[in-house]
Amino acid sequence: MPIIKSAKKRVKTSNKAAVRNSKTKRSLKSALKAFTKKASPKSHSAAQSNVDKAVKKGVMHKNKAARVKKQLAAKAKTAGVKPTATAKKAAAKPAVKKAAPAKKTVAKKPAAAKKAPAKKPAAKKAAPKKK
């Protein structure tokens, strides 16, 4: 057991992180197993969602996640699973931007001329005295 206060805190925080990471890993594994057991649009979207959550929480590297999602898509294609209608609509419709409110014009003041700081006279060094 650590003696230093900061080391004690690190033990506590690392334990919390380990629990959080294990929950994320467990839900990811169960979602992937559910999809491989029975491929359906719902299980496919759940598996992809869990992969994205694992990346966001730092449990899985983003390149590995891309590879896993590609494999999921290939399995879904061979199983004949099509994406859900809501996913298609979201992908097909571009996001509508709201009009920005009109900006008020503000008269700008001319920039004040900067004055150079007054130079201080350089101190003269005293010549070393000879004995």
Side-chain angles (χ1 to χ4, degrees):
M1 189 69 193
I3 299 169
I4 299 168
K5 190 174 183 178
S6 62
K8 289 179 183 179
K9 185 177 178 184
R10 287 304 309 155
V11 168
K12 286 182 184 179
T13 55
S14 63
N15 287 339
K16 285 181 186 177
V19 169
R20 196 169 42 240
N21 290 343
S22 64
K23 283 182 182 179
T24 305
K25 287 178 188 177
R26 185 74 257 153
S27 65
L28 174 65
K29 286 180 185 178
S30 62
L32 292 175
K33 284 181 183 179
F35 176 72
T36 54
K37 190 173 182 179
K38 185 181 180 208
S40 68
K42 189 175 182 180
S43 64
H44 182 247
S45 63
Q48 282 189 335
S49 174
N50 279 307
V51 169
D52 290 334
K53 284 179 188 175
V55 171
K56 187 176 180 182
K57 293 185 179 187
V59 174
M60 182 186 282
H61 192 271
K62 64 178 183 174
N63 291 351
K64 181 179 179 181
R67 185 174 68 243
V68 169
K69 285 173 75 173
K70 184 177 178 181
Q71 291 168 349
L72 284 172
K75 287 178 185 176
K77 188 175 181 181
T78 56
V81 174
K82 293 185 180 180
T84 58
T86 56
K88 280 186 180 179
K89 286 181 184 177
K93 271 190 178 178
V96 179
K97 290 186 177 180
K98 293 182 180 179
K103 292 184 180 179
K104 295 180 182 178
T105 55
V106 179
K108 292 184 179 180
K109 295 181 182 179
K114 291 185 179 179
K115 294 181 181 178
K119 291 186 178 180
K120 295 181 180 178
K124 293 184 182 180
K125 291 185 179 179
K129 294 182 180 179
K130 293 183 181 179
K131 289 188 178 182

